[in-house]
Amino acid sequence: MSSQTPLTRRNLPLSAPISAPTTQPVQQYHAQGQFGIGSGSSNKPIIESDADTKLRTHSEGPTSTNVAFGGKRRSNAGKLGKREYAILAGIMIIGWWVRLYKLGRPDSVVFDEVHFGGFATKYLKRKFFMDVHPPLAKLLITLSAYVGGFDGNFDFKDIGKDYIEPGVPYITMRFFPAILGLALIPLTFLTIIALKLSLATAILGSLLIAFENALITQSRLILLDSFLVFFTGLTTLFWIKFCNLDSDGKSFSIDWWLNLSLTGISLGAVVSCKWVGLFTIAMIGFSTIRQLWLLLGNLKVTPRQWIRHFAARTLCLIVLPITFYMLMFKIHFWILNESGDGDGFMSSEFQHTLQGHGMENTYADVGFGSKVAIRHVNTQGGYLHSHNHAYPGGSKQQQITLYPHRDENNVWRIVNASTPDGPASYPWDELPIEYVLTGTKIRLEHVITEKRLHSHDVRPPVSEVDFQNEVSGYGFPGFAGDANDDFVVEIAKQTRGRRDRTARHRLKSLRSQFRLRHALTGCYLFSHKVKLPDWGFEQQEVTCNKNPTWENSLWYIETNEHAQLPFDADKVNYERPSFFEKFFELNAVMWRTNAGLTDRHAYDSRPQSWPVLRRGINFWVQNHRQVYLIGNPVIWWSSTLAIVAYLGIRGLMIVRAKRGFRDLHQPKIAFYDEVCSYLVIAWALHYLPFFLMQRQLFLHHYLPALYFAVLLFCTVFDYITSAIRPRTRIQVAAVVLILAIWSWNHWSPLTYAGPWTKGQCEKGKWLKTWDFSCNDFHDDLGQYTAIPAVSSNKIDSAVTHDSGAITTTLVEEAPEPIQNVFEAVDVPAEEKTIAPVGPQNEVQMQESTAEVPPQQGAVESDVGVVEDTRAPVGNDAGQPGVTDISNDEGGWHGGADEDMKHDHDNQDKHTQEPGKAPIGATKQDIPEMELDKDQERLVEDLLKNDESV
């Protein structure tokens, strides 16, 4: 087509296959494009004009016809025949082998299996927990554990913890993610066919996904990303098929409704696995909005038809996903109906829906003399607490904290402070009850220790700022107290539970929310998420804040008792929240917790490094093997290059359009531009939002975007090779596949925890930022078969060939400085070398570590010394200074004194004095030696020299 030819694309469906030229007008459904970039609009067929027919058929040749694999024309674009099914079956066999090879290796906990395997345990025990991810993927993992016969008695607590001995069905639990990873391969094949690209491209794309190392690693472990990427690919396939039907004029047909509904269900599934699925919703939403916009501007579409399109998309793409998402939480709440370690994240009302966390009804009316338990509103509802321990600094008075559990030290008595000259105590059990109203001045007496809640102009122990005052317990029996004990009750207008107008001005249990203002300084009783040090038992700090936030200064009374209240007095309890209230509360907690994951991790990374594969994640290290999450560099970099190439060429075409060229109006270029633009937008929506996040991010967050980048690479490949012979296209695809398979094989030891040598590892470090440890591998592959692996929960085999001894390294927590993604980075656990594998060495280590020169002429067989087979300690093993007590920093001590403390006394104890035998040595320890006179004279001279020194 000449770039100067005047064009109009009114009735040209970009999604329709380009057929042979025709001279007769044809009936065609009006469409704006495919994949949601454009969509069908009207049910009425219209007549294509002669100009449009000429436009559509202009410059059509062999390169733009629908040619299939081998050069034969496919009659039905996007449809599969017997040949395609046979090819797909062969690809599936390859994918089965690649995905499921050695699925049982490694046989211990790997990286985030700590979390997601642990969640399966809690599901099976029905113990409530809190996680930042929605429940679908975790429920499917639990289902696989249940099918495998898992009893939930394995805690998945530590990376490297053995699966074999406790009989965990970990292979079954890994099998389901692996199957979904395998299913992504045919999804890719079908998606490329639905995009109306060539069969050779579909084979290439599906095999690229099959041999992508990062996708393989994620799908072989008990992790969530395999579920996420699978449902992302499933959503994409259904949406493209829907758009094709919409473009072909088959709106509101059964297949049209089916694919639209399946798109909605898939959207619900992808967002129910991880909130990253919101990016997939944004992708479909962007396409839908553009469809509706183009339909609105189409004069052939009546308002009634437009409303039908709008309603259908609203029902299937909004209502269905939300319903599916909420259904997953309904199942989540139904299973987790018992109190667990996630209770503290939820409100008190939520907690009391769980078995084992309820309480009996309590009296509603609160008066002077009432014994109450006061809870904080905002920070997971801890109790106002005191105990018989003092602050180490400041006033050194009794500590006041916030404690999350029920305890006798949470009980306070409300005392009237309006009479300053009153007695030290009153017989509250005999006096008639007098209600506490808003504005009343009160004192809070701690029932157990008889101290009063007190504040003064002293800085708190942790929050040492001028606007915060210390809160303490002060007083003693018989002391009436002072003005610093006085607080004014300010009841908030908002009540808890159902509306209770009385609770707005009169203090009532579980209904009134109130603040306590210090009468002298004007500060408010306040708590926040700041923990006290060990001396405060890591309980939450309580202060008196002059500028508090409203939520953190609100309190309420949970339990209340008074001797003068009759048994039949009005009682209240927590109101049980509805499903919707629990649903919204849990999602709000998930959002806040997710946003709060800002601590750095040893292997986190930022989004700008993902497309170039700057670094990976160390998942597991044990037995001289390693699992390291790294992508296939050939696939990774090729897909990134395809994105850059398309954006560059697209920008060049825009510049050329300003100069009068009409490249984008050519049917072939317009078709490929339609596909590429959709895939680039999908890639950008799954990648660019991560730049706005400040939380911990890892390489695996890029995997959904990588999927679209691979599809874009396939589209670019299809366009570049569209002008060459089909056989040549196959050959070019084969070259790309060979490179990808070679790359997969080269880094497969990191994917499958296979044997690798240090030399091969060093050659595999193409980038300096790839931080997998080559020192953890053997020097020779033969050493993997010569030395059996040691099976233990936390034992990492290490072979020292220099000394010929086989020792084991006991890792306290994890074999690498790998931590859970929700935890801050700590110093790696100290490694301790323990005794050699096999029989214990019975030779006792001498108590003194000072070097003793051997006796001249002595023979080992004469003195009865057994060969020391210990492994060296550290890199400088063998030097006397290494094993000296003053320099000893831990490590193997031969069992001589495991509890030895390196203090000053021990240093003196273990120091050998010059000229004396080692401490603990006796005459019987050293056999007598017969010396001649010359030797005796030499020995005496040496001893005299030592004494003179």
Side-chain angles (χ1 to χ4, degrees):
M1 178 186 295
S2 171
S3 61
Q4 304 298 326
T5 304
L7 298 175
T8 173
R9 299 173 65 205
R10 291 194 309 269
N11 300 322
L12 177 61
L14 298 181
S15 61
I18 303 174
S19 58
T22 179
T23 57
Q24 297 181 354
V26 295
Q27 287 187 341
Q28 181 171 310
Y29 181 77
H30 183 86
Q32 283 78 28
Q34 76 179 48
F35 323 137
I37 301 300
S39 175
S41 56
S42 173
N43 291 326
K44 298 180 180 180
I46 64 172
I47 303 300
E48 182 179 10
S49 65
D50 292 339
D52 286 338
T53 302
K54 293 178 181 180
L55 172 65
R56 179 172 56 82
T57 59
H58 189 74
S59 298
E60 290 180 352
T63 60
S64 59
T65 56
N66 188 17
V67 179
F69 183 69
K72 295 186 178 180
R73 185 188 303 274
R74 288 203 313 272
S75 58
N76 296 321
K79 303 292 184 179
L80 297 183
K82 292 182 179 180
R83 179 176 301 178
E84 285 84 355
Y85 279 117
I87 293 172
L88 183 57
I91 294 173
M92 287 290 290
I93 293 173
I94 297 174
W96 180 277
W97 179 73
V98 171
R99 285 292 197 272
L100 302 180
Y101 173 75
K102 298 287 186 181
L103 189 61
R105 192 171 66 192
D107 57 3
S108 57
V109 179
V110 179
F111 197 57
D112 276 354
E113 289 185 340
V114 166
H115 298 297
F116 305 120
F119 294 150
T121 295
K122 294 173 184 176
Y123 269 124
L124 291 173
K125 293 188 174 182
R126 312 194 73 169
K127 300 291 185 181
F128 182 81
F129 64 89
M130 214 294 296
D131 181 40
V132 296
H133 300 301
L136 175 57
K138 299 191 292 287
L139 287 170
L140 293 175
I141 290 173
T142 305
L143 177 62
S144 65
Y146 178 78
V147 171
F150 182 46
D151 57 7
N153 290 327
F154 185 81
D155 58 11
F156 295 87
K157 184 179 180 181
D158 303 307
I159 298 175
K161 192 169 184 179
D162 181 52
Y163 283 138
I164 303 299
E165 184 178 350
V168 181
Y170 72 102
I171 296 179
T172 305
M173 297 177 70
R174 290 176 179 174
F175 183 75
F176 198 70
I179 287 296
L180 293 186
L182 172 64
L184 185 66
I185 299 171
L187 277 182
T188 306
F189 183 91
L190 296 174
T191 300
I192 294 176
I193 294 296
L195 288 171
K196 296 184 172 61
L197 304 180
S198 67
L199 184 57
T201 303
I203 297 171
L204 173 64
S206 57
L207 288 177
L208 289 179
I209 294 296
F211 288 99
E212 211 297 299
N213 295 64
L215 292 174
I216 296 172
T217 303
Q218 288 294 118
S219 66
R220 290 170 49 83
L221 302 172
I222 308 172
L223 304 175
L224 305 187
D225 293 274
S226 180
F227 300 88
L228 174 69
V229 179
F230 168 77
F231 285 117
T232 300
L234 192 65
T235 302
T236 304
L237 174 62
F238 287 139
W239 178 249
I240 292 174
K241 293 177 69 174
F242 162 77
C243 292
N244 288 340
L245 292 169
D246 206 46
S247 248
D248 292 341
K250 298 178 181 178
S251 300
F252 304 105
S253 63
I254 294 177
D255 289 342
W256 186 90
W257 276 108
L258 179 63
N259 282 281
L260 184 60
S261 301
L262 290 175
T263 301
I265 294 174
S266 299
L267 281 177
V270 70
V271 77
S272 296
C273 292
K274 271 189 171 184
W275 276 353
V276 177
L278 291 170
F279 303 155
T280 308
I281 291 179
M283 174 189 75
I284 302 300
F286 177 84
S287 300
T288 302
I289 291 172
R290 191 170 189 276
Q291 284 182 355
L292 294 174
W293 177 255
L294 294 175
L295 286 170
L296 188 63
N298 190 339
L299 299 179
K300 302 288 184 179
V301 178
T302 65
R304 183 175 180 179
Q305 291 173 338
W306 189 90
I307 292 174
R308 289 182 65 195
H309 278 277
F310 178 84
R313 287 163 172 79
T314 301
L315 174 65
C316 295
L317 301 181
I318 297 178
V319 177
L320 268 181
I322 292 176
T323 303
F324 187 93
Y325 182 75
M326 297 181 74
L327 177 63
M328 295 302 103
F329 279 91
K330 183 72 174 178
I331 299 173
H332 180 76
F333 293 145
W334 173 70
I335 295 176
L336 302 179
N337 63 345
E338 297 184 10
S339 179
D341 57 12
D343 296 8
F345 291 91
M346 311 311 297
S347 68
S348 302
E349 287 81 0
F350 190 108
Q351 293 177 25
H352 282 75
T353 64
L354 304 173
Q355 297 178 11
H357 212 298
M359 73 172 193
E360 297 180 356
N361 295 343
T362 189
Y363 289 109
D365 295 320
V366 179
F368 296 123
S370 291
K371 294 180 180 178
V372 298
I374 302 174
R375 299 196 71 171
H376 197 236
V377 170
N378 196 36
T379 53
Q380 283 80 50
Y383 294 90
L384 185 64
H385 179 90
S386 186
H387 43 233
N388 193 18
H389 295 275
Y391 292 116
S395 67
K396 297 187 178 180
Q397 296 174 4
Q398 187 166 293
Q399 298 175 12
I400 303 294
T401 65
L402 211 66
Y403 185 61
H405 307 292
R406 295 178 184 175
D407 187 82
E408 292 181 354
N409 283 317
N410 301 337
V411 181
W412 301 81
R413 188 191 295 273
I414 299 178
V415 178
N416 190 353
S418 300
T419 55
D421 298 328
S425 62
Y426 290 90
W428 295 110
D429 293 344
E430 300 175 4
L431 295 176
I433 187 170
E434 181 180 352
Y435 300 130
V436 179
L437 306 178
T438 185
T440 302
K441 187 184 295 185
I442 67 169
R443 292 178 180 177
L444 292 176
E445 294 181 351
H446 192 242
V447 174
I448 298 296
T449 62
E450 299 184 4
K451 307 284 186 181
R452 294 180 181 86
L453 190 70
H454 185 89
S455 185
H456 41 216
D457 190 17
V458 177
R459 301 290 77 78
V462 177
S463 302
E464 299 184 41
V465 290
D466 292 339
F467 59 86
Q468 298 246 46
N469 290 342
E470 179 192 81
V471 175
S472 63
Y474 177 67
F476 49 86
F479 176 62
D482 59 32
N484 282 323
D485 301 337
D486 298 344
F487 287 84
V488 178
V489 177
E490 297 180 357
I491 300 178
K493 294 183 178 179
Q494 183 181 4
T495 61
R496 301 176 67 86
R498 62 176 181 271
R499 294 183 180 181
D500 188 343
R501 293 185 178 181
T502 307
R504 295 179 179 179
H505 59 85
R506 194 175 85 191
L507 195 59
K508 301 188 76 171
S509 303
L510 297 174
R511 297 294 177 262
S512 300
Q513 296 185 140
F514 61 93
R515 307 170 84 194
L516 291 176
R517 175 172 53 84
H518 194 244
L520 286 185
T521 61
C523 59
Y524 285 87
L525 192 67
F526 173 86
S527 186
H528 50 172
K529 294 181 179 180
V530 173
K531 301 293 184 182
L532 295 174
D534 292 340
W535 54 257
F537 309 99
E538 296 185 351
Q539 296 177 15
Q540 196 164 300
E541 184 185 45
V542 175
T543 66
C544 197
N545 195 327
K546 298 177 182 178
N547 299 301
T549 56
W550 175 262
E551 295 81 4
N552 283 347
S553 60
L554 280 178
W555 305 82
Y556 71 95
I557 293 175
E558 182 182 76
T559 61
N560 167 42
E561 61 178 30
H562 196 290
Q564 294 301 316
L565 286 171
F567 178 77
D568 58 350
D570 185 25
K571 291 186 177 182
V572 293
N573 207 327
Y574 285 103
E575 293 196 1
R576 296 180 64 87
S578 65
F579 163 74
F580 293 100
E581 290 172 328
K582 293 173 63 177
F583 169 79
F584 287 117
E585 180 183 342
L586 180 56
N587 277 266
V589 171
M590 290 164 56
W591 181 270
R592 291 195 300 268
T593 307
N594 194 28
L597 298 176
T598 56
D599 294 335
R600 294 301 305 271
H601 188 278
Y603 292 98
D604 64 3
S605 55
R606 298 307 301 172
Q608 59 267 23
S609 68
W610 299 342
V612 296
L613 197 61
R614 188 173 182 271
R615 73 178 303 210
I617 308 173
N618 199 345
F619 273 11
W620 178 89
V621 177
Q622 204 173 71
N623 298 337
H624 298 282
R625 300 171 187 264
Q626 193 170 161
V627 176
Y628 185 89
L629 180 70
I630 188 170
N632 187 321
V634 172
I635 299 173
W636 212 281
W637 294 337
S638 298
S639 61
T640 301
L641 182 62
I643 294 170
V644 174
Y646 169 73
L647 293 176
I649 295 173
R650 189 65 164 80
L652 179 62
M653 288 183 178
I654 293 174
V655 173
R656 282 171 56 86
K658 294 294 184 181
R659 306 286 296 176
F661 295 93
R662 298 190 177 182
D663 303 312
L664 294 174
H665 292 280
Q666 299 180 26
K668 177 181 174 180
I669 294 179
F671 167 75
Y672 282 106
D673 177 66
E674 187 82 6
V675 179
C676 289
S677 61
Y678 170 75
L679 296 175
V680 164
I681 291 172
W683 169 83
L685 289 174
H686 284 82
Y687 171 59
L688 297 181
F690 285 108
F691 284 92
L692 305 177
M693 299 183 186
Q694 300 302 317
R695 57 150 291 174
Q696 287 177 351
L697 295 173
F698 297 88
L699 180 66
H700 59 73
H701 286 112
Y702 185 70
L703 294 182
L706 175 68
Y707 179 72
F708 292 103
V710 172
L711 292 180
L712 179 66
F713 171 78
C714 294
T715 306
V716 172
F717 169 84
D718 197 86
Y719 172 74
I720 294 175
T721 59
S722 61
I724 63 178
R725 297 174 56 188
R727 191 176 303 275
T728 307
R729 169 184 280 186
I730 297 171
Q731 295 171 351
V732 174
V735 171
V736 176
L737 278 176
I738 290 172
L739 291 175
I741 294 173
W742 175 87
S743 179
W744 159 80
N745 180 71
H746 187 63
W747 284 276
S748 61
L750 297 176
T751 302
Y752 300 101
W756 217 18
T757 66
K758 293 180 181 179
Q760 292 172 329
C761 177
E762 292 293 345
K763 292 179 181 179
K765 280 194 174 183
W766 286 7
L767 298 181
K768 294 181 180 179
T769 51
W770 290 357
D771 50 0
F772 45 85
S773 176
C774 293
N775 290 329
D776 289 312
F777 297 103
H778 281 307
D779 294 321
D780 190 345
L781 291 177
Q783 296 174 251
Y784 286 95
T785 57
I787 301 171
V790 179
S791 178
S792 177
N793 289 350
K794 297 183 181 180
I795 299 286
D796 182 18
S797 294
V799 181
T800 308
H801 298 282
D802 296 335
S803 62
I806 305 174
T807 64
T808 57
T809 301
L810 177 61
V811 181
E812 296 275 343
E813 292 297 335
E816 281 288 314
I818 305 173
Q819 282 156 8
N820 303 338
V821 296
F822 307 116
E823 296 178 358
V825 177
D826 296 329
V827 179
E830 182 188 52
E831 296 186 353
K832 298 180 180 178
T833 308
I834 64 174
V837 177
Q840 295 275 339
N841 189 354
E842 298 179 357
V843 179
Q844 296 296 323
M845 190 176 189
Q846 64 179 15
E847 292 188 30
S848 173
T849 57
E851 186 180 20
V852 180
Q855 298 287 346
Q856 186 174 358
V859 183
E860 289 184 359
S861 59
D862 295 334
V863 297
V865 178
V866 181
E867 180 184 2
D868 187 0
T869 60
R870 292 174 294 157
V873 180
N875 295 327
D876 299 321
Q879 297 183 12
V882 173
T883 54
D884 190 271
I885 272 299
S886 62
N887 297 322
D888 189 4
E889 298 179 357
W892 182 64
H893 291 275
D897 193 356
E898 293 295 339
D899 298 326
M900 181 170 55
K901 298 180 181 179
H902 300 168
D903 54 15
H904 181 71
D905 295 337
N906 286 336
Q907 290 180 14
D908 294 339
K909 178 181 178 182
H910 292 273
T911 302
Q912 179 181 346
E913 297 181 10
K916 292 185 179 181
I919 298 174
T922 62
K923 184 177 180 180
Q924 289 76 12
D925 295 330
I926 304 175
E928 295 183 0
M929 294 179 291
E930 297 180 0
L931 303 177
D932 57 22
K933 294 181 179 180
D934 292 335
Q935 290 174 332
E936 289 177 354
R937 186 176 63 254
L938 290 173
V939 171
E940 289 175 358
D941 292 338
L942 288 173
L943 291 175
K944 290 178 181 179
N945 292 334
D946 289 342
E947 290 175 357
S948 62
V949 174

